[in-house]
């Protein structure tokens, strides 16, 4: 194995793993989900907190047999629900929670959306249980249902289309679950860069396509 691949494997072994089963409701601007987070021993022994938007009603929070879990509203650094899990034996632990409700507002124009015209979700929407450390990287297996027919999906994770939605898989840890879906999206791949937009001829799109591969190559070398 190369030093890079050895590092990737070591990072994955020490990272949380998310299992997400989400169903979108574009006509209602809402979603429901069941999320299970496997927390490595070092983090579980200290206790790990995860932040979820207050627009969701949580119906259940359960921990693995060797851990305790709780949920409470907090107002700092912003109003959210905080789900906390801590192992009693210093070993790895997991927490599972189910919730449903409307997507919380994320600015004007909104950064996030679950609508018949556009679906765009990321950490900004606090829709999946964001680590309170914010930059914590994690691996991922997710199923997302309720995507309107004809929507094109863009995501940095490994994507597979299934009936009424798609699955995502990630073996190299990253700090967000982000994807966009909309009708009429077009994709161009240049080297390691995949660029997705409705109109590839706009000045902004041409700028990204001209300079993006060079910027990415610089970052990869660095």
């Amino acid at each position: 194995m190369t030093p890079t691949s050895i590092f990737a494997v070591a990072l994955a072994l020490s990272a949380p793993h998310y299992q997400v089963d989400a169903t979108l409701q574009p006509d209602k601007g809402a979603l429901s989900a069941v999320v299970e987070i496997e927390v490595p021993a070092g983090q579980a022994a200290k206790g790990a907190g995860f932040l979820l938007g207050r627009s969701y009603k949580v119906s259940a929070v359960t921990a693995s047999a060797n851990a305790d879990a709780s949920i409470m509203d907090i107002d700092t650094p912003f109003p959210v629900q905080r789900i906390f899990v801590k192992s009693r034996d210093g070993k790895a632990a997991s927490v599972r929670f189910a919730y449903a409700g409307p997507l919380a507002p994320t600015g004007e124009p909104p950064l996030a959306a679950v609508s018949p015209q556009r679906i765009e979700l990321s950490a900004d929407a606090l829709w999946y249980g964001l680590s309170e450390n914010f930059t914590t990287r994690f691996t991922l297996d997710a199923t997302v249902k309720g995507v309107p027919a004809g929507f094109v999906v863009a995501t940095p994770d490994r994507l597979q289309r299934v009936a009424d939605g798609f699955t995502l898989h990630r073996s190299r840890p990253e700090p967000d679950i982000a994807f966009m879906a909309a009708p009429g999206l077009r994709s161009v791949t240049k080297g390691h860069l995949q660029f997705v937009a409705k109109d590839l001829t706009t000045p902004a799109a041409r700028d990204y396509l001209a300079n993006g591969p060079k910027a990415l190559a610089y970052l990869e070398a660095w």
Side-chain angles (χ1 to χ4, degrees), residues 24-26 29-31 56 103-106 109-122 124-125 127 151 179-181:
L24 309 180
Q25 297 175 289
L31 62 87
Y56 303 111
L103 189 68
T106 56
L111 298 174
V114 175
S115 74
Q117 294 77 39
R118 173 177 68 99
I119 293 168
E120 189 164 0
L121 290 173
S122 67
D124 296 305
W127 71 276
F151 272 38
F179 56 84
M180 180 180 183

Side-chain angles (χ1 to χ4, degrees), residues 28-174:
K28 298 180 179 179
L31 62 87
S32 60
V34 178
V35 174
E36 183 167 354
I37 305 172
E38 300 169 17
V39 184
Q43 298 174 39
K46 297 177 183 177
F50 302 93
L51 308 179
L52 185 69
R54 280 196 189 172
S55 60
Y56 303 111
K57 181 176 181 180
V58 179
S59 57
V61 177
T62 56
S64 51
N66 68 323
D68 298 307
S70 61
I71 181 171
M72 64 180 296
D73 287 348
I74 62 173
D75 296 315
T76 303
F78 34 75
V80 290
Q81 301 178 82
R82 180 181 187 249
I83 297 163
F84 186 78
V85 60
K86 184 175 183 180
S87 68
R88 295 187 297 272
D89 56 7
K91 297 181 180 179
S94 65
V95 60
R96 178 183 174 94
F97 46 101
Y99 54 96
L103 189 68
T106 56
E108 187 61 43
L111 298 174
V114 175
S115 74
Q117 294 77 39
R118 173 177 68 99
I119 293 168
E120 189 164 0
L121 290 173
S122 67
D124 296 305
L126 292 174
W127 71 276
Y128 60 80
L130 174 69
S131 169
E132 63 182 358
N133 294 325
F134 300 113
T135 58
T136 296
R137 296 192 234 177
F138 53 89
T139 55
L140 171 69
D141 285 292
T143 299
V144 181
K145 302 174 185 175
V147 180
F151 272 38
V152 178
V153 182
T155 174
D157 293 311
R158 195 171 81 197
L159 170 75
Q160 181 176 347
R161 296 302 298 260
V162 297
D164 194 32
F166 55 89
T167 64
L168 300 176
H169 174 73
R170 175 195 305 166
S171 57
R172 185 184 179 95
E174 294 295 342

Side-chain angles (χ1 to χ4, degrees), residues 189-194 216 220:
T189 299
K190 288 195 171 185
H192 292 169
L193 175 71
Q194 182 184 35
L216 182 59
E220 286 179 330

